[in-house]
Amino acid sequence: MRITQGTFSFLPDLTDVEIEAQIQYAIDQGWACAIEYTDDPHPRNTYWEMYGMPMFGLADAAGVMMEVHGCRDTFPNHYIKLNAFDSTRGVESVRLSFIINRPKEEPGFALSRQETDGRHIRYTMSSYAADRPAGKRY
């Protein structure tokens, strides 16, 4: 099952050239870039681990791409995403976010059904990857 979180998730995976073009666009807008990774891709898991520090004031995408390659080398079997933050209004707002690395196998999610009061039915999703402890999921 292919995880569809972020801006380009419904498209085929972006190449490094396409990723670099998106990073350059973000830099040209004055946005700061940050790289995050996780082995628990649940849609409500919005707080991924940060790789390095956010990168402010860069002129070209080469510095961010160096961090992208470093994160991929360190966590090759994790989901990795790039976030671009806009601080022009005094608040760090995410303006662009997309996945730049995926594990070779994406196990998907289980959908659990629970009957509650009356005729109400409640559904819950859980990631198959989360069945194993953190660090051993992929």
Side-chain angles (χ1 to χ4, degrees):
M1 174 180 182
R2 184 176 170 84
I3 302 296
T4 53
Q5 295 178 13
T7 306
F8 306 113
S9 292
F10 292 96
L11 298 174
D13 290 339
L14 299 179
T15 65
D16 281 359
V17 172
E18 293 167 329
I19 292 169
E20 189 169 0
Q22 293 301 320
I23 292 169
Q24 190 61 52
Y25 173 79
I27 290 171
D28 291 345
Q29 305 307 307
W31 302 340
C33 294
I35 299 169
E36 297 179 342
Y37 64 95
T38 190
D39 62 354
D40 180 13
H42 192 283
R44 290 195 178 119
N45 178 14
T46 57
Y47 298 107
W48 293 17
E49 300 292 327
M50 186 173 282
Y51 182 83
M53 298 297 289
M55 294 163 264
F56 299 94
L58 297 177
D60 66 37
V64 180
M65 286 303 293
M66 186 174 71
E67 291 293 307
V68 166
H69 293 301
C71 189
R72 282 181 179 159
D73 291 343
T74 306
F75 302 104
N77 295 317
H78 284 61
Y79 290 91
I80 303 172
K81 71 178 171 182
L82 181 110
N83 295 318
F85 298 94
D86 181 9
S87 64
T88 55
R89 298 184 182 190
V91 179
E92 291 289 330
S93 301
V94 176
R95 298 294 295 259
L96 179 64
S97 178
F98 59 98
I99 294 174
I100 57 175
N101 192 71
R102 298 170 180 277
K104 289 178 180 50
E105 177 192 344
E106 295 183 76
F109 294 90
L111 185 64
S112 301
R113 176 182 167 161
Q114 179 185 16
E115 296 185 23
T116 62
D117 300 337
R119 302 185 87 181
H120 293 104
I121 298 174
R122 197 175 283 154
Y123 293 94
T124 304
M125 278 191 340
S126 60
S127 171
Y128 289 123
D131 289 344
R132 289 179 270 173
K136 299 182 188 284
R137 293 182 176 152
Y138 292 101

